Amino acid sequence: VLTGGSAGAICWFDGGHSDSMDPDTYKTAMLNPSAADTGADESGSAPTSKEEAKPWEYIRINGLGFLPGLVCPHHDKVQSNGVLRAKDFDAMLRRHPGERGICIDHWAALVVDGESFRTISLPGKPGSVLNAQFVEDASGA
């Protein structure tokens, strides 16, 4: 059994779309252990305007390669840089032709069992495949 959310999901694949450059999530998760007790999740908050967007970019990181593909956790989220991960992931796949993209929404999980897979999600939580829409990123695009 291999399991993990966010970076814990990325590690099992060939590579992943990472928010490791986000100072909000890195500092909170790594330098402030008491933040885990607040009930907040690990993804950074989306800015409400272009001016609030923080200057960092998503990066492609290598995984262990147990599962094929480039995976994007939190696919339906906008983080503190104001960029919708779905849009940036599309651009990343264009920069890495030949890689298979696998997207996992924030409140969802991918279950791989041999050659088959299925997705699961928490009931009532929004996502790109439920009755919700992507939140527009801070650029207005």
Side-chain angles (χ1 to χ4, degrees):
V1 174
L2 307 175
T3 185
S6 198
I10 291 174
C11 72
W12 307 117
F13 289 87
D14 291 330
H17 185 267
S18 175
D19 62 358
S20 296
M21 302 305 289
D22 182 350
D24 288 351
T25 61
Y26 179 77
K27 288 180 182 176
T28 299
M30 302 302 289
L31 301 177
N32 187 2
S34 64
D37 299 329
T38 66
D41 64 37
E42 76 282 359
S43 64
S45 299
T48 57
S49 68
K50 287 182 188 181
E51 293 76 28
E52 289 181 5
K54 300 203 173 141
W56 63 271
E57 295 182 5
Y58 297 106
I59 59 173
R60 185 207 185 280
I61 59 169
N62 292 327
L64 297 170
F66 294 136
L67 297 170
L70 185 65
V71 68
C72 179
H74 316 292
H75 181 255
D76 57 337
K77 297 288 264 183
V78 174
Q79 290 182 246
S80 69
N81 63 357
V83 178
L84 176 64
R85 285 187 82 144
K87 285 185 180 183
D88 194 80
F89 189 57
D90 286 348
M92 183 177 285
L93 286 172
R94 287 191 294 276
R95 290 190 307 271
H96 297 273
E99 288 197 278
R100 177 177 297 141
I102 301 160
C103 307
I104 305 171
D105 282 349
H106 187 69
W107 296 107
L110 175 68
V111 178
V112 179
D113 186 3
E115 295 295 316
S116 64
F117 69 91
R118 64 188 173 97
T119 57
I120 57 175
S121 62
L122 292 174
K125 292 293 186 179
S128 62
V129 296
L130 295 176
N131 293 328
Q133 296 180 0
F134 284 126
V135 175
E136 196 172 274
D137 65 23
S139 70

